[in-house]
């Protein structure tokens, strides 16, 4: 219940003032016993760590607006217009709990010039004052006591009673750390700030399999600055990245039962998550190798072990669906399909974005069950990407494929030393035999999404097959399906040159022009926004002509599966 309490003296907040700093200033100018004393009068509790956009943050604004005799929406407009609060809302790669620092941080020069706390100082990765080119402080310059909120006076230390702004010589800041704080203050380059946060997550535990988020909201200034310098080195120094890469390899030598791919996976993860264009503004930035790894805190949390062997050094951390998709070489949508079919079981969902998280230890055990046949040569190998494309032809999806693999009905082959799922291939004939036997169901209709994958096209061109009366679709409302029997007749009658060009690894234009020179004309050809869809008659002459064209371009006989 709101209190009728009103301040005797109620100055308006500055446009760049921190909300909790405003509490402290109201306390000082009204001669009260602390911010908690104010909140007692407002019938609430003072929690300095309260984050923007939280219910408590909004409640503070509502309570204060009555106490300072101002409309709630006007007071809210002052605080929510601040770039620091907008930043917390705009950056998506980090939870806001890590962005709003819990501690007391200030620039002694700013605070001496004008007695109020700036909202920018509340942000965890802002460690410098861009006005005075100095580092922020979080402890008393006289007694070195760590400063806290809810003080008697804003510019005095509660412990020793000395001024925290008089005769203080703050440390000068490195130019790049100043630049980071400047970017946050101005909100001028969100893409770069996203990349920097991902780099922070990488360097928090540089051998961790996850992009781990440090507790930035609790770190002191020096710790945050050290981590920022490491992150900047990763973003801006090729020399730094080279030394980090070598240190990953060094871990491989220490733990010989860990595969080299698993050791280098954290580096791949960073590159996968952060597509920022690296430059070389810090050519002399040096990476500091970790001298010794504790088995309990180092490699045990650092990566997926070799797929064929699970030992005590296996990772027991969680991994996101996006990272898992990248690690095993399939799309995030297919990870979702595996979850829906209960072939993968998530342990939880993340707080931000509700991205599914998995226990990588359980994933490793599941993958370790795979029987991978080592071979140097395979007559007609087909990789995961190609398999995913042809699966709709058998009315199957990636979950069906996993079922066949894990039940050992479908052999997998490894052409090299890297025994990873994403590097494994199938023998073409074995694959199509087992798919035909186990999954082919001519009674299931084919939807438009399956057709776009089968023909390497888009929905508009697929629908134009219907307008050309080549296929008859059964669509009600937004659904678009081709009856299974009609689809079988269609596939027996026509050859899709898009599929042939893809699997033969030659250009569609080259294939089409060569067929024209052989007096083979398309039954159907349509273009739309850069996509082309071409069908020709499925006759013996056309099939033989296509094989001759493929042999001409590829310089050898290629009898891979082309969709006819």
């Amino acid at each position: 219940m709101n209190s009728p309490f009103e301040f005797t003296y109620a100055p308006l907040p500055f446009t760049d003032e921190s909300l909790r700093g405003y509490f402290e200033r109201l306390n000082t100018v009204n001669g009260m016993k602390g911010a908690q004393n104010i909140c007692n009068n407002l019938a609430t509790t003072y929690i300095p760590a309260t984050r923007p956009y939280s219910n408590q943050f909004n409640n503070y604004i509502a309570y204060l607006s009555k106490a300072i005799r101002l409309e709630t929406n006007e007071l809210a407009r002052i605080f929510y217009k601040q770039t620091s609060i907008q930043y917390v809302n705009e950056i998506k790669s980090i939870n806001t709990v890590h962005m709003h620092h819990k501690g007391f941080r200030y620039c002694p020069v700013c605070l001496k010039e004008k007695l109020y706390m700036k909202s920018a100082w509340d942000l965890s990765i802002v460690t410098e004052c861009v006005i005075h080119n100095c580092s922020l402080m979080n402890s008393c310059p006289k007694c070195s006591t760590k400063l806290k909120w809810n003080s008697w006076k804003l510019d005095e230390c509660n412990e020793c009673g000395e001024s925290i702004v008089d005769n203080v010589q703050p440390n000068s800041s490195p130019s790049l750390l100043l630049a980071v704080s400047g970017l946050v203050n101005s909100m001028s380059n969100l893409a770069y700030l996203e990349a920097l946060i991902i780099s922070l997550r990488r360097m928090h535990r540089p051998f961790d399999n996850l992009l781990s988020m440090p507790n930035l909201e609790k770190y002191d200034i020096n710790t945050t600055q050290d981590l920022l310098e490491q992150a900047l080195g990763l973003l801006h120094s090729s020399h730094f990245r080279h030394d980090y890469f070598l240190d990953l390899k060094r871990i491989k030598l220490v733990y010989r039962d860990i595969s080299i791919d698993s050791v280098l996976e954290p580096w791949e993860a960073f590159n996968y998550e952060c597509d920022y264009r690296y430059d070389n503004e810090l050519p002399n930035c040096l990476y500091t190798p970790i001298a010794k790894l504790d088995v309990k805190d180092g490699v045990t949390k650092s990566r997926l072990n070799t797929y064929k062997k699970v030992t005590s050094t296996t990772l027991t951390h969680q991994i996101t669906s996006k990272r898992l998709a990248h690690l095993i070489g399939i799309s995030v949508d297919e990870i979702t399909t595996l979850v829906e079919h209960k072939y993968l079981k998530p342990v939880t969902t993340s707080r931000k974005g509700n991205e599914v998280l998995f226990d990588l230890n359980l994933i490793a055990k599941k993958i370790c069950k795979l029987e991978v046949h080592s071979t140097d040569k395979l007559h007609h190998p087909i990789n995961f990407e190609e398999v995913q494309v042809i699966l709709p032809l058998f009315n199957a999806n990636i979950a069906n494929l996993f079922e066949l693999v894990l039940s050992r009905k479908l052999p997998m082959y490894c052409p090299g030393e890297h025994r990873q799922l994403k590097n494994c291939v199938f023998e073409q004939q074995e694959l199509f035999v087992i798919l035909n036997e186990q999954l082919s169901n001519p009674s299931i209709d084919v939807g438009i999404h399956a057709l776009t994958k089968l023909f390497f096209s888009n929905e508009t061109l697929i629908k134009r097959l219907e307008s050309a009366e080549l296929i008859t679709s059964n669509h009600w409302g937004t659904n678009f399906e081709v009856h299974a029997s009609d689809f079988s007749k269609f596939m027996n009658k026509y050859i899709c040159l898009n599929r042939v060009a893809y699997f033969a690894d030659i250009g569609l234009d080259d294939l089409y022009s060569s067929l024209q020179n052989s007096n083979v004309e398309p039954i159907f050809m349509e273009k739309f926004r850069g996509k082309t869809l071409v069908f020709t008659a499925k006759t013996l002459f056309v099939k033989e002509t296509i094989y001759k064209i493929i042999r001409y371009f590829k310089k050898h006989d290629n009898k891979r599966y082309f969709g006819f």
Side-chain angles (χ1 to χ4, degrees), residues 266-537:
W267 176 243
E268 290 184 8
F270 171 72
N271 283 299
Y272 178 69
E273 290 283 347
C274 180
D275 58 358
Y276 180 74
R277 286 179 181 263
Y278 306 133
D279 52 33
N280 203 24
E281 292 183 6
L282 289 173
N284 298 321
C285 184
L286 300 178
Y287 171 76
T288 304
I290 296 178
K292 183 179 179 181
L293 278 177
D294 184 350
V295 173
K296 294 181 180 179
D297 192 46
V299 77
T300 57
K301 297 180 181 178
S302 66
R303 69 210 79 263
L304 178 64
N305 195 1
T306 175
Y307 285 105
K308 295 298 289 183
K309 182 180 180 182
V310 179
T311 69
S312 60
T313 56
T314 301
L315 174 72
T316 56
H317 255 226
Q318 295 171 345
I319 187 170
T320 64
S321 55
K322 183 189 294 185
R323 289 281 314 291
L324 179 61
H326 169 65
L327 188 63
I328 63 178
I330 62 179
S331 69
V332 178
D333 290 339
E334 283 149 356
I335 291 290
T336 304
T337 302
L338 292 174
V339 172
E340 291 173 352
H341 287 77
K342 299 181 180 180
Y343 291 106
L344 294 178
K345 185 178 180 181
V347 292
T348 183
T349 56
S350 65
R351 288 174 137 190
K352 196 153 192 175
N354 295 323
E355 187 176 9
V356 176
L357 298 174
F358 299 90
D359 186 333
L360 194 52
N361 189 36
L362 298 178
I363 300 296
K365 289 180 179 179
K366 184 180 287 288
I367 293 176
C368 286
K369 295 178 182 178
L370 299 180
E371 184 175 338
V372 182
H373 304 271
S374 181
T375 179
D376 293 328
K377 293 182 179 180
L378 212 59
H379 293 296
H380 302 295
I382 184 168
N383 60 33
F384 254 89
E385 182 181 1
E386 294 173 327
V387 172
Q388 293 172 68
V389 172
I390 59 92
L391 280 175
L393 186 62
F394 300 92
N395 298 304
N397 58 38
I398 195 71
N400 300 125
L401 186 68
F402 265 75
E403 180 183 15
L404 294 172
V405 171
L406 293 174
S407 62
R408 300 190 179 184
K409 294 179 181 177
L410 182 61
M412 299 179 67
Y413 297 90
C414 185
E417 296 180 357
H418 306 305
R419 304 172 72 83
Q420 288 187 329
L421 186 60
K422 63 181 178 181
N423 293 325
C424 289
V425 297
F426 303 92
E427 206 284 322
Q428 178 187 307
Q429 186 174 356
E430 289 179 342
L431 174 69
F432 290 125
V433 168
I434 193 68
L435 288 179
N436 269 319
E437 291 177 352
Q438 299 288 330
L439 300 174
S440 185
N441 188 345
S443 64
I444 299 178
D445 297 345
V446 182
I448 191 166
H449 296 298
L451 289 173
T452 56
K453 288 185 177 182
L454 284 169
F455 299 145
F456 298 89
S457 185
N458 57 34
E459 293 186 6
T460 299
L461 294 179
I462 296 300
K463 290 179 179 178
R464 289 182 182 178
L465 288 174
E466 180 190 30
S467 62
E469 298 183 351
L470 294 182
I471 63 172
T472 302
S473 65
N474 172 30
H475 56 97
W476 301 94
T478 57
N479 295 328
F480 184 105
E481 291 183 337
V482 180
H483 286 301
S485 57
D486 294 332
F487 178 66
S488 297
K489 293 177 183 177
F490 178 78
M491 292 299 290
N492 289 329
K493 189 175 181 181
Y494 302 112
I495 297 173
C496 177
L497 296 187
N498 303 60
R499 288 175 50 76
V500 174
Y502 176 84
F503 283 107
D505 193 25
I506 60 177
L508 177 61
D509 292 339
D510 293 333
L511 177 61
Y512 176 52
S513 60
S514 299
L515 283 172
Q516 282 186 311
N517 293 336
S518 302
N519 298 320
V520 174
E521 293 294 334
I523 300 295
F524 175 82
M525 181 177 182
E526 190 72 52
K527 293 183 178 181
F528 178 74
R529 291 184 179 176
K531 285 280 188 178
T532 303
L533 184 60
V534 187
F535 285 91
T536 188

